[in-house]
Amino acid sequence: MVVDVTPLGQPRQIRAAVTKLADARRALPAAYPVAASVYIGPQSARILKDNNLGFVDLSGNSYLAFEHVLIDRAGKRNVRPSTRPLRSLFAPRATRVVRALLAEPGRAWRLEELGRAAEVSLGHSHNVVKRLEDLRWLERDGAQRIQLTKLADLLEAWVESYTYRSNEMASYFVPERVTRRLMADLARAAVSEGRRYAFTLGAGISLVAPPAKLGAVHCYLDGDPAPIAAALGLHPAGEADGALHLLSPYDPGVFYGLLDKAGLKVVCLPQLYADLMHWDRRGPEQAEHLRREAMGY
């Protein structure tokens, strides 16, 4: 085996590794080329497999296919997350800009428009855009309008740095089986109090990319969740016992670009994908289903 080790296994670094391993394969045709990193996510894994290259990471993911050997282990989470090189991109306010770019992937933005849409200052949006330019993940046209070009790279980098557990969560018992009616009742209660809400995780994907089954309901909600739960006649529960989970957003940017599905609000697709990727064991599979069926990148 010929192994190329890269500290970061993000798509940009993996593409560079592909080039180096292709050179190694030409120089040593009898060797099997392998990329190694701390963590190699689904997008990076696809790049390597498409180029007939193997990989291993320190989180337990691996793909080795040569002669009579096939080892294919996927779905392990990053056990050593390190986002220091990209930390400035994924602070709460900066992520508003990232989310806006990912939610409208075909749009060419003026810097002022992007700042207004993301509800950040012109200086803040400039700093995020400059960082993305340094990474070569976006470009400017002749009129200086900004357009994201490496959508998958940015999405994967965000996912590695984020978990929905960054939000505070209050859980509640539900006396009957969870149904779409409960979601509609929750939406009406939130609207009646002038609160923003948005479904995510299993409830979100059940509306956006069926046939996902409806299990526990997770919903972002502005403000104190207790009055809404009381209006629905629900009582607090531990997370493991509750079937309704109300998330207090770590930043109001989660309400950007809400989708309207069957009269109910759902977080934008990139937010839903990022939330799902760190959910239970079904989450990554549902995230990839969402990406295939609805996102297009």
Side-chain angles (χ1 to χ4, degrees), residues 177-184 198-219 243 259-269 272-273 276 279 282-283 285-287 289-290 293-294:
R177 187 171 62 89
V178 172
T179 64
R180 191 70 58 80
R181 180 177 177 180
L182 172 65
M183 295 169 64
F199 291 103
T200 189
L201 295 178
I205 199 168
S206 73
L207 293 167
V208 172
K213 294 181 179 179
L214 181 59
V217 170
H218 292 76
C219 184
L259 306 174
D260 192 313
K261 297 293 182 179
L264 300 174
K265 300 296 184 184
V266 183
V267 294
C268 67
L269 297 182
L272 181 55
Y273 178 86
L276 284 166
W279 194 27
R282 298 169 298 161
E285 179 183 343
Q286 291 181 329
H289 172 71
L290 174 72
E293 297 299 319

mmCIF file of all heavy atoms in Angstrom, residues 177-184 198-219 243 259-269 272-273 276 279 282-283 285-287 289-290 293-294:
data_model
loop_
_atom_site.group_PDB
_atom_site.id
_atom_site.type_symbol
_atom_site.label_atom_id
_atom_site.label_comp_id
_atom_site.label_asym_id
_atom_site.label_seq_id
_atom_site.Cartn_x
_atom_site.Cartn_y
_atom_site.Cartn_z
ATOM 1 N N ARG A 177 -50.098 8.644 20.120
ATOM 2 C CA ARG A 177 -49.090 8.446 19.077
ATOM 3 C C ARG A 177 -48.821 9.767 18.352
ATOM 4 O O ARG A 177 -49.727 10.550 18.098
ATOM 5 C CB ARG A 177 -49.589 7.389 18.080
ATOM 6 C CG ARG A 177 -48.555 6.981 17.037
ATOM 7 C CD ARG A 177 -49.073 5.790 16.247
ATOM 8 N NE ARG A 177 -50.295 6.114 15.535
ATOM 9 C CZ ARG A 177 -50.325 6.626 14.305
ATOM 10 N NH1 ARG A 177 -49.187 6.883 13.662
ATOM 11 N NH2 ARG A 177 -51.467 6.867 13.713
ATOM 12 N N VAL A 178 -47.554 10.000 18.049
ATOM 13 C CA VAL A 178 -47.177 11.224 17.342
ATOM 14 C C VAL A 178 -47.777 11.214 15.934
ATOM 15 O O VAL A 178 -47.625 10.241 15.191
ATOM 16 C CB VAL A 178 -45.644 11.351 17.253
ATOM 17 C CG1 VAL A 178 -45.250 12.510 16.353
ATOM 18 C CG2 VAL A 178 -45.063 11.547 18.642
ATOM 19 N N THR A 179 -48.466 12.290 15.587
ATOM 20 C CA THR A 179 -49.103 12.396 14.270
ATOM 21 C C THR A 179 -48.860 13.788 13.694
ATOM 22 O O THR A 179 -48.388 14.695 14.379
ATOM 23 C CB THR A 179 -50.624 12.162 14.363
ATOM 24 O OG1 THR A 179 -51.199 13.224 15.157
ATOM 25 C CG2 THR A 179 -50.946 10.818 14.999
ATOM 26 N N ARG A 180 -49.219 13.927 12.424
ATOM 27 C CA ARG A 180 -49.137 15.237 11.777
ATOM 28 C C ARG A 180 -50.045 16.246 12.478
ATOM 29 O O ARG A 180 -49.775 17.446 12.474
ATOM 30 C CB ARG A 180 -49.512 15.091 10.303
ATOM 31 C CG ARG A 180 -49.241 16.297 9.438
ATOM 32 C CD ARG A 180 -47.766 16.557 9.224
ATOM 33 N NE ARG A 180 -47.062 15.458 8.618
ATOM 34 C CZ ARG A 180 -47.050 15.177 7.313
ATOM 35 N NH1 ARG A 180 -47.744 15.919 6.477
ATOM 36 N NH2 ARG A 180 -46.344 14.165 6.836
ATOM 37 N N ARG A 181 -51.093 15.747 13.103
ATOM 38 C CA ARG A 181 -52.000 16.654 13.806
ATOM 39 C C ARG A 181 -51.284 17.362 14.952
ATOM 40 O O ARG A 181 -51.531 18.552 15.206
ATOM 41 C CB ARG A 181 -53.211 15.881 14.345
ATOM 42 C CG ARG A 181 -54.206 16.757 15.090
ATOM 43 C CD ARG A 181 -55.416 15.961 15.532
ATOM 44 N NE ARG A 181 -56.351 16.774 16.303
ATOM 45 C CZ ARG A 181 -57.485 16.348 16.812
ATOM 46 N NH1 ARG A 181 -57.862 15.084 16.618
ATOM 47 N NH2 ARG A 181 -58.258 17.158 17.503
ATOM 48 N N LEU A 182 -50.421 16.649 15.674
ATOM 49 C CA LEU A 182 -49.647 17.279 16.745
ATOM 50 C C LEU A 182 -48.791 18.413 16.183
ATOM 51 O O LEU A 182 -48.700 19.497 16.784
ATOM 52 C CB LEU A 182 -48.758 16.239 17.423
ATOM 53 C CG LEU A 182 -47.747 16.788 18.439
ATOM 54 C CD1 LEU A 182 -48.466 17.405 19.638
ATOM 55 C CD2 LEU A 182 -46.789 15.689 18.904
ATOM 56 N N MET A 183 -48.180 18.188 15.031
ATOM 57 C CA MET A 183 -47.359 19.229 14.410
ATOM 58 C C MET A 183 -48.208 20.445 14.047
ATOM 59 O O MET A 183 -47.791 21.589 14.271
ATOM 60 C CB MET A 183 -46.654 18.657 13.175
ATOM 61 C CG MET A 183 -45.650 17.556 13.508
ATOM 62 S SD MET A 183 -45.047 16.648 12.054
ATOM 63 C CE MET A 183 -44.195 17.946 11.168
ATOM 64 N N ALA A 184 -49.408 20.190 13.511
ATOM 65 C CA ALA A 184 -50.293 21.301 13.158
ATOM 66 C C ALA A 184 -50.744 22.058 14.400
ATOM 67 O O ALA A 184 -50.811 23.303 14.393
ATOM 68 C CB ALA A 184 -51.503 20.771 12.394
ATOM 69 N N ALA A 198 -40.003 26.258 13.380
ATOM 70 C CA ALA A 198 -39.585 25.529 12.173
ATOM 71 C C ALA A 198 -39.254 24.093 12.552
ATOM 72 O O ALA A 198 -38.456 23.854 13.458
ATOM 73 C CB ALA A 198 -38.373 26.193 11.528
ATOM 74 N N PHE A 199 -39.878 23.148 11.861
ATOM 75 C CA PHE A 199 -39.635 21.732 12.137
ATOM 76 C C PHE A 199 -38.291 21.302 11.546
ATOM 77 O O PHE A 199 -37.855 21.805 10.502
ATOM 78 C CB PHE A 199 -40.760 20.875 11.563
ATOM 79 C CG PHE A 199 -42.056 21.058 12.291
ATOM 80 C CD1 PHE A 199 -43.069 21.832 11.744
ATOM 81 C CD2 PHE A 199 -42.257 20.472 13.530
ATOM 82 C CE1 PHE A 199 -44.266 22.020 12.417
ATOM 83 C CE2 PHE A 199 -43.448 20.656 14.216
ATOM 84 C CZ PHE A 199 -44.462 21.433 13.660
ATOM 85 N N THR A 200 -37.645 20.354 12.226
ATOM 86 C CA THR A 200 -36.365 19.836 11.758
ATOM 87 C C THR A 200 -36.273 18.343 12.077
ATOM 88 O O THR A 200 -37.237 17.725 12.537
ATOM 89 C CB THR A 200 -35.195 20.611 12.394
ATOM 90 O OG1 THR A 200 -33.976 20.208 11.753
ATOM 91 C CG2 THR A 200 -35.104 20.374 13.895
ATOM 92 N N LEU A 201 -35.106 17.760 11.796
ATOM 93 C CA LEU A 201 -34.844 16.333 12.011
ATOM 94 C C LEU A 201 -35.954 15.463 11.395
ATOM 95 O O LEU A 201 -36.366 15.716 10.277
ATOM 96 C CB LEU A 201 -34.633 16.065 13.500
ATOM 97 C CG LEU A 201 -33.378 16.734 14.098
ATOM 98 C CD1 LEU A 201 -33.266 16.468 15.592
ATOM 99 C CD2 LEU A 201 -32.117 16.270 13.394
ATOM 100 N N GLY A 202 -36.443 14.445 12.104
ATOM 101 C CA GLY A 202 -37.406 13.522 11.500
ATOM 102 C C GLY A 202 -38.683 14.197 11.055
ATOM 103 O O GLY A 202 -39.243 13.870 10.003
ATOM 104 N N ALA A 203 -39.170 15.154 11.859
ATOM 105 C CA ALA A 203 -40.392 15.862 11.475
ATOM 106 C C ALA A 203 -40.171 16.681 10.213
ATOM 107 O O ALA A 203 -41.040 16.749 9.337
ATOM 108 C CB ALA A 203 -40.846 16.771 12.622
ATOM 109 N N GLY A 204 -38.989 17.308 10.104
ATOM 110 C CA GLY A 204 -38.694 18.108 8.924
ATOM 111 C C GLY A 204 -38.608 17.284 7.661
ATOM 112 O O GLY A 204 -39.226 17.608 6.647
ATOM 113 N N ILE A 205 -37.870 16.174 7.721
ATOM 114 C CA ILE A 205 -37.701 15.386 6.501
ATOM 115 C C ILE A 205 -38.986 14.656 6.130
ATOM 116 O O ILE A 205 -39.239 14.351 4.962
ATOM 117 C CB ILE A 205 -36.513 14.410 6.618
ATOM 118 C CG1 ILE A 205 -36.083 13.956 5.212
ATOM 119 C CG2 ILE A 205 -36.830 13.238 7.521
ATOM 120 C CD1 ILE A 205 -34.771 13.234 5.162
ATOM 121 N N SER A 206 -39.863 14.386 7.106
ATOM 122 C CA SER A 206 -41.147 13.756 6.784
ATOM 123 C C SER A 206 -41.999 14.675 5.917
ATOM 124 O O SER A 206 -42.859 14.212 5.166
ATOM 125 C CB SER A 206 -41.906 13.399 8.064
ATOM 126 O OG SER A 206 -42.440 14.558 8.698
ATOM 127 N N LEU A 207 -41.752 15.987 6.011
ATOM 128 C CA LEU A 207 -42.493 16.950 5.195
ATOM 129 C C LEU A 207 -41.799 17.251 3.872
ATOM 130 O O LEU A 207 -42.455 17.510 2.864
ATOM 131 C CB LEU A 207 -42.666 18.266 5.973
ATOM 132 C CG LEU A 207 -43.568 18.208 7.210
ATOM 133 C CD1 LEU A 207 -43.391 19.461 8.048
ATOM 134 C CD2 LEU A 207 -45.031 18.041 6.808
ATOM 135 N N VAL A 208 -40.461 17.180 3.871
ATOM 136 C CA VAL A 208 -39.702 17.614 2.695
ATOM 137 C C VAL A 208 -39.406 16.476 1.734
ATOM 138 O O VAL A 208 -39.501 16.639 0.515
ATOM 139 C CB VAL A 208 -38.376 18.276 3.146
ATOM 140 C CG1 VAL A 208 -37.473 18.558 1.955
ATOM 141 C CG2 VAL A 208 -38.655 19.556 3.914
ATOM 142 N N ALA A 209 -39.030 15.324 2.265
ATOM 143 C CA ALA A 209 -38.588 14.226 1.403
ATOM 144 C C ALA A 209 -39.182 12.905 1.864
ATOM 145 O O ALA A 209 -38.474 12.022 2.336
ATOM 146 C CB ALA A 209 -37.063 14.150 1.384
ATOM 147 N N PRO A 210 -40.513 12.772 1.784
ATOM 148 C CA PRO A 210 -41.124 11.494 2.143
ATOM 149 C C PRO A 210 -40.567 10.388 1.255
ATOM 150 O O PRO A 210 -40.012 10.677 0.207
ATOM 151 C CB PRO A 210 -42.618 11.745 1.896
ATOM 152 C CG PRO A 210 -42.676 12.929 0.998
ATOM 153 C CD PRO A 210 -41.435 13.723 1.243
ATOM 154 N N PRO A 211 -40.625 9.132 1.660
ATOM 155 C CA PRO A 211 -41.523 8.557 2.658
ATOM 156 C C PRO A 211 -40.919 8.372 4.047
ATOM 157 O O PRO A 211 -41.147 7.340 4.683
ATOM 158 C CB PRO A 211 -41.866 7.205 2.060
ATOM 159 C CG PRO A 211 -40.588 6.818 1.353
ATOM 160 C CD PRO A 211 -39.967 8.088 0.876
ATOM 161 N N ALA A 212 -40.143 9.326 4.545
ATOM 162 C CA ALA A 212 -39.618 9.206 5.898
ATOM 163 C C ALA A 212 -40.766 9.086 6.901
ATOM 164 O O ALA A 212 -41.759 9.803 6.806
ATOM 165 C CB ALA A 212 -38.766 10.429 6.232
ATOM 166 N N LYS A 213 -40.636 8.157 7.847
ATOM 167 C CA LYS A 213 -41.686 7.959 8.837
ATOM 168 C C LYS A 213 -41.603 9.022 9.919
ATOM 169 O O LYS A 213 -40.522 9.488 10.281
ATOM 170 C CB LYS A 213 -41.561 6.566 9.455
ATOM 171 C CG LYS A 213 -41.824 5.431 8.473
ATOM 172 C CD LYS A 213 -41.704 4.075 9.169
ATOM 173 C CE LYS A 213 -41.980 2.943 8.185
ATOM 174 N NZ LYS A 213 -41.856 1.609 8.845
ATOM 175 N N LEU A 214 -42.756 9.383 10.447
ATOM 176 C CA LEU A 214 -42.820 10.389 11.497
ATOM 177 C C LEU A 214 -42.667 9.717 12.852
ATOM 178 O O LEU A 214 -43.494 8.896 13.256
ATOM 179 C CB LEU A 214 -44.153 11.140 11.423
ATOM 180 C CG LEU A 214 -44.353 12.259 12.450
ATOM 181 C CD1 LEU A 214 -43.263 13.311 12.294
ATOM 182 C CD2 LEU A 214 -45.735 12.891 12.284
ATOM 183 N N GLY A 215 -41.589 10.040 13.553
ATOM 184 C CA GLY A 215 -41.376 9.522 14.903
ATOM 185 C C GLY A 215 -41.488 10.664 15.882
ATOM 186 O O GLY A 215 -42.500 11.356 15.927
ATOM 187 N N ALA A 216 -40.433 10.901 16.651
ATOM 188 C CA ALA A 216 -40.419 12.050 17.547
ATOM 189 C C ALA A 216 -40.395 13.340 16.737
ATOM 190 O O ALA A 216 -39.881 13.386 15.617
ATOM 191 C CB ALA A 216 -39.192 11.974 18.463
ATOM 192 N N VAL A 217 -40.976 14.387 17.299
ATOM 193 C CA VAL A 217 -41.059 15.684 16.630
ATOM 194 C C VAL A 217 -40.048 16.632 17.265
ATOM 195 O O VAL A 217 -40.037 16.822 18.486
ATOM 196 C CB VAL A 217 -42.479 16.276 16.736
ATOM 197 C CG1 VAL A 217 -42.501 17.717 16.252
ATOM 198 C CG2 VAL A 217 -43.457 15.425 15.939
ATOM 199 N N HIS A 218 -39.185 17.216 16.427
ATOM 200 C CA HIS A 218 -38.250 18.253 16.860
ATOM 201 C C HIS A 218 -38.607 19.545 16.136
ATOM 202 O O HIS A 218 -38.797 19.538 14.915
ATOM 203 C CB HIS A 218 -36.806 17.867 16.531
ATOM 204 C CG HIS A 218 -36.286 16.708 17.333
ATOM 205 N ND1 HIS A 218 -36.646 15.403 17.064
ATOM 206 C CD2 HIS A 218 -35.438 16.669 18.399
ATOM 207 C CE1 HIS A 218 -36.030 14.598 17.924
ATOM 208 N NE2 HIS A 218 -35.301 15.335 18.745
ATOM 209 N N CYS A 219 -38.655 20.626 16.890
ATOM 210 C CA CYS A 219 -39.081 21.894 16.301
ATOM 211 C C CYS A 219 -38.327 23.046 16.961
ATOM 212 O O CYS A 219 -38.276 23.145 18.188
ATOM 213 C CB CYS A 219 -40.581 22.068 16.501
ATOM 214 S SG CYS A 219 -41.267 23.561 15.720
ATOM 215 N N ALA A 243 -41.581 12.690 23.327
ATOM 216 C CA ALA A 243 -41.833 12.524 21.896
ATOM 217 C C ALA A 243 -41.896 13.861 21.174
ATOM 218 O O ALA A 243 -41.885 13.909 19.951
ATOM 219 C CB ALA A 243 -43.136 11.765 21.670
ATOM 220 N N LEU A 259 -39.042 26.830 4.661
ATOM 221 C CA LEU A 259 -39.873 26.217 3.629
ATOM 222 C C LEU A 259 -41.293 26.063 4.159
ATOM 223 O O LEU A 259 -41.497 25.830 5.349
ATOM 224 C CB LEU A 259 -39.321 24.843 3.259
ATOM 225 C CG LEU A 259 -37.850 24.785 2.850
ATOM 226 C CD1 LEU A 259 -37.407 23.347 2.656
ATOM 227 C CD2 LEU A 259 -37.601 25.601 1.594
ATOM 228 N N ASP A 260 -42.261 26.176 3.275
ATOM 229 C CA ASP A 260 -43.666 25.953 3.636
ATOM 230 C C ASP A 260 -44.109 24.639 3.007
ATOM 231 O O ASP A 260 -44.182 24.518 1.782
ATOM 232 C CB ASP A 260 -44.539 27.104 3.141
ATOM 233 C CG ASP A 260 -45.946 27.065 3.727
ATOM 234 O OD1 ASP A 260 -46.546 25.972 3.719
ATOM 235 O OD2 ASP A 260 -46.437 28.101 4.188
ATOM 236 N N LYS A 261 -44.360 23.647 3.848
ATOM 237 C CA LYS A 261 -44.766 22.327 3.374
ATOM 238 C C LYS A 261 -46.077 21.936 4.044
ATOM 239 O O LYS A 261 -46.136 21.803 5.262
ATOM 240 C CB LYS A 261 -43.692 21.280 3.690
ATOM 241 C CG LYS A 261 -42.362 21.527 2.987
ATOM 242 C CD LYS A 261 -42.482 21.356 1.487
ATOM 243 C CE LYS A 261 -41.157 21.559 0.784
ATOM 244 N NZ LYS A 261 -41.258 21.376 -0.684
ATOM 245 N N ALA A 262 -47.110 21.797 3.238
ATOM 246 C CA ALA A 262 -48.438 21.427 3.748
ATOM 247 C C ALA A 262 -48.897 22.400 4.839
ATOM 248 O O ALA A 262 -49.533 21.998 5.814
ATOM 249 C CB ALA A 262 -48.440 19.990 4.266
ATOM 250 N N GLY A 263 -48.554 23.677 4.672
ATOM 251 C CA GLY A 263 -48.966 24.686 5.634
ATOM 252 C C GLY A 263 -48.122 24.746 6.885
ATOM 253 O O GLY A 263 -48.436 25.508 7.811
ATOM 254 N N LEU A 264 -47.032 23.983 6.943
ATOM 255 C CA LEU A 264 -46.149 23.958 8.107
ATOM 256 C C LEU A 264 -44.761 24.463 7.716
ATOM 257 O O LEU A 264 -44.301 24.247 6.592
ATOM 258 C CB LEU A 264 -46.045 22.543 8.675
ATOM 259 C CG LEU A 264 -47.360 21.904 9.138
ATOM 260 C CD1 LEU A 264 -47.128 20.453 9.530
ATOM 261 C CD2 LEU A 264 -47.978 22.684 10.286
ATOM 262 N N LYS A 265 -44.084 25.129 8.650
ATOM 263 C CA LYS A 265 -42.765 25.682 8.384
ATOM 264 C C LYS A 265 -41.678 24.654 8.699
ATOM 265 O O LYS A 265 -41.699 23.989 9.744
ATOM 266 C CB LYS A 265 -42.526 26.932 9.234
ATOM 267 C CG LYS A 265 -43.524 28.064 8.981
ATOM 268 C CD LYS A 265 -43.409 28.593 7.566
ATOM 269 C CE LYS A 265 -44.347 29.790 7.358
ATOM 270 N NZ LYS A 265 -44.312 30.260 5.938
ATOM 271 N N VAL A 266 -40.708 24.562 7.793
ATOM 272 C CA VAL A 266 -39.578 23.650 7.935
ATOM 273 C C VAL A 266 -38.302 24.456 7.717
ATOM 274 O O VAL A 266 -38.283 25.385 6.903
ATOM 275 C CB VAL A 266 -39.646 22.502 6.902
ATOM 276 C CG1 VAL A 266 -38.509 21.508 7.108
ATOM 277 C CG2 VAL A 266 -40.990 21.799 6.962
ATOM 278 N N VAL A 267 -37.237 24.114 8.427
ATOM 279 C CA VAL A 267 -35.965 24.799 8.218
ATOM 280 C C VAL A 267 -35.507 24.623 6.773
ATOM 281 O O VAL A 267 -35.921 23.695 6.077
ATOM 282 C CB VAL A 267 -34.872 24.278 9.181
ATOM 283 C CG1 VAL A 267 -35.199 24.621 10.624
ATOM 284 C CG2 VAL A 267 -34.661 22.770 9.020
ATOM 285 N N CYS A 268 -34.637 25.516 6.312
ATOM 286 C CA CYS A 268 -34.109 25.404 4.952
ATOM 287 C C CYS A 268 -33.332 24.098 4.806
ATOM 288 O O CYS A 268 -32.886 23.490 5.788
ATOM 289 C CB CYS A 268 -33.242 26.615 4.604
ATOM 290 S SG CYS A 268 -31.702 26.749 5.554
ATOM 291 N N LEU A 269 -33.147 23.659 3.571
ATOM 292 C CA LEU A 269 -32.553 22.345 3.323
ATOM 293 C C LEU A 269 -31.145 22.180 3.902
ATOM 294 O O LEU A 269 -30.848 21.131 4.496
ATOM 295 C CB LEU A 269 -32.555 22.047 1.824
ATOM 296 C CG LEU A 269 -33.942 21.950 1.166
ATOM 297 C CD1 LEU A 269 -33.792 21.605 -0.314
ATOM 298 C CD2 LEU A 269 -34.813 20.912 1.859
ATOM 299 N N LEU A 272 -31.504 21.567 7.608
ATOM 300 C CA LEU A 272 -32.060 20.244 7.864
ATOM 301 C C LEU A 272 -30.998 19.170 7.679
ATOM 302 O O LEU A 272 -30.879 18.238 8.483
ATOM 303 C CB LEU A 272 -33.255 20.004 6.943
ATOM 304 C CG LEU A 272 -33.993 18.673 7.085
ATOM 305 C CD1 LEU A 272 -34.463 18.438 8.515
ATOM 306 C CD2 LEU A 272 -35.190 18.622 6.118
ATOM 307 N N TYR A 273 -30.202 19.300 6.630
ATOM 308 C CA TYR A 273 -29.126 18.331 6.373
ATOM 309 C C TYR A 273 -28.124 18.331 7.522
ATOM 310 O O TYR A 273 -27.734 17.269 8.027
ATOM 311 C CB TYR A 273 -28.420 18.682 5.063
ATOM 312 C CG TYR A 273 -27.262 17.779 4.720
ATOM 313 C CD1 TYR A 273 -27.466 16.581 4.025
ATOM 314 C CD2 TYR A 273 -25.959 18.112 5.087
ATOM 315 C CE1 TYR A 273 -26.397 15.747 3.718
ATOM 316 C CE2 TYR A 273 -24.896 17.282 4.779
ATOM 317 C CZ TYR A 273 -25.116 16.101 4.093
ATOM 318 O OH TYR A 273 -24.059 15.273 3.790
ATOM 319 N N LEU A 276 -29.586 16.663 10.619
ATOM 320 C CA LEU A 276 -29.732 15.217 10.479
ATOM 321 C C LEU A 276 -28.407 14.476 10.592
ATOM 322 O O LEU A 276 -28.349 13.365 11.123
ATOM 323 C CB LEU A 276 -30.381 14.885 9.128
ATOM 324 C CG LEU A 276 -31.882 15.131 9.007
ATOM 325 C CD1 LEU A 276 -32.313 15.096 7.542
ATOM 326 C CD2 LEU A 276 -32.672 14.106 9.818
ATOM 327 N N TRP A 279 -27.732 13.395 14.102
ATOM 328 C CA TRP A 279 -28.856 12.852 14.854
ATOM 329 C C TRP A 279 -28.544 11.400 15.193
ATOM 330 O O TRP A 279 -27.396 10.978 15.198
ATOM 331 C CB TRP A 279 -30.129 13.002 14.018
ATOM 332 C CG TRP A 279 -31.413 12.804 14.766
ATOM 333 C CD1 TRP A 279 -31.637 13.003 16.099
ATOM 334 C CD2 TRP A 279 -32.649 12.357 14.203
ATOM 335 N NE1 TRP A 279 -32.936 12.731 16.408
ATOM 336 C CE2 TRP A 279 -33.577 12.324 15.264
ATOM 337 C CE3 TRP A 279 -33.056 11.984 12.927
ATOM 338 C CZ2 TRP A 279 -34.904 11.931 15.076
ATOM 339 C CZ3 TRP A 279 -34.361 11.604 12.734
ATOM 340 C CH2 TRP A 279 -35.284 11.582 13.793
ATOM 341 N N ARG A 282 -30.133 6.820 12.328
ATOM 342 C CA ARG A 282 -30.852 6.998 11.061
ATOM 343 C C ARG A 282 -30.519 8.326 10.400
ATOM 344 O O ARG A 282 -30.758 8.516 9.214
ATOM 345 C CB ARG A 282 -32.363 6.939 11.297
ATOM 346 C CG ARG A 282 -32.877 5.628 11.850
ATOM 347 C CD ARG A 282 -34.327 5.791 12.278
ATOM 348 N NE ARG A 282 -34.453 6.780 13.355
ATOM 349 C CZ ARG A 282 -35.573 7.396 13.678
ATOM 350 N NH1 ARG A 282 -36.671 7.153 13.002
ATOM 351 N NH2 ARG A 282 -35.604 8.257 14.676
ATOM 352 N N GLY A 283 -29.999 9.264 11.189
ATOM 353 C CA GLY A 283 -29.816 10.623 10.700
ATOM 354 C C GLY A 283 -28.959 10.745 9.457
ATOM 355 O O GLY A 283 -29.394 11.348 8.459
ATOM 356 N N GLU A 285 -28.212 8.618 7.155
ATOM 357 C CA GLU A 285 -28.885 8.008 6.004
ATOM 358 C C GLU A 285 -29.993 8.918 5.478
ATOM 359 O O GLU A 285 -30.145 9.104 4.263
ATOM 360 C CB GLU A 285 -29.466 6.654 6.413
ATOM 361 C CG GLU A 285 -30.215 5.937 5.298
ATOM 362 C CD GLU A 285 -30.849 4.634 5.759
ATOM 363 O OE1 GLU A 285 -30.455 4.124 6.828
ATOM 364 O OE2 GLU A 285 -31.740 4.140 5.058
ATOM 365 N N GLN A 286 -30.776 9.498 6.395
ATOM 366 C CA GLN A 286 -31.842 10.406 5.967
ATOM 367 C C GLN A 286 -31.269 11.684 5.371
ATOM 368 O O GLN A 286 -31.844 12.250 4.437
ATOM 369 C CB GLN A 286 -32.760 10.708 7.149
ATOM 370 C CG GLN A 286 -33.583 9.513 7.595
ATOM 371 C CD GLN A 286 -34.509 9.832 8.748
ATOM 372 O OE1 GLN A 286 -34.225 10.677 9.590
ATOM 373 N NE2 GLN A 286 -35.628 9.148 8.805
ATOM 374 N N ALA A 287 -30.123 12.137 5.898
ATOM 375 C CA ALA A 287 -29.479 13.322 5.339
ATOM 376 C C ALA A 287 -29.060 13.077 3.893
ATOM 377 O O ALA A 287 -29.261 13.940 3.018
ATOM 378 C CB ALA A 287 -28.271 13.707 6.193
ATOM 379 N N HIS A 289 -30.408 10.904 1.868
ATOM 380 C CA HIS A 289 -31.645 10.828 1.103
ATOM 381 C C HIS A 289 -32.120 12.235 0.738
ATOM 382 O O HIS A 289 -32.501 12.506 -0.413
ATOM 383 C CB HIS A 289 -32.716 10.104 1.920
ATOM 384 C CG HIS A 289 -34.089 10.122 1.306
ATOM 385 N ND1 HIS A 289 -34.414 9.402 0.184
ATOM 386 C CD2 HIS A 289 -35.226 10.796 1.662
ATOM 387 C CE1 HIS A 289 -35.677 9.621 -0.142
ATOM 388 N NE2 HIS A 289 -36.184 10.460 0.746
ATOM 389 N N LEU A 290 -32.079 13.141 1.711
ATOM 390 C CA LEU A 290 -32.467 14.537 1.452
ATOM 391 C C LEU A 290 -31.575 15.158 0.391
ATOM 392 O O LEU A 290 -32.058 15.851 -0.517
ATOM 393 C CB LEU A 290 -32.362 15.327 2.764
ATOM 394 C CG LEU A 290 -32.587 16.842 2.650
ATOM 395 C CD1 LEU A 290 -34.059 17.133 2.389
ATOM 396 C CD2 LEU A 290 -32.140 17.554 3.929
ATOM 397 N N GLU A 293 -32.505 13.661 -3.052
ATOM 398 C CA GLU A 293 -33.856 13.922 -3.539
ATOM 399 C C GLU A 293 -34.192 15.406 -3.669
ATOM 400 O O GLU A 293 -35.037 15.777 -4.480
ATOM 401 C CB GLU A 293 -34.878 13.266 -2.600
ATOM 402 C CG GLU A 293 -34.789 11.757 -2.523
ATOM 403 C CD GLU A 293 -35.044 11.100 -3.862
ATOM 404 O OE1 GLU A 293 -35.964 11.552 -4.578
ATOM 405 O OE2 GLU A 293 -34.318 10.138 -4.199
ATOM 406 N N ALA A 294 -33.547 16.261 -2.887
ATOM 407 C CA ALA A 294 -34.013 17.645 -2.826
ATOM 408 C C ALA A 294 -32.950 18.709 -2.988
ATOM 409 O O ALA A 294 -33.264 19.817 -3.416
ATOM 410 C CB ALA A 294 -34.767 17.874 -1.494
#
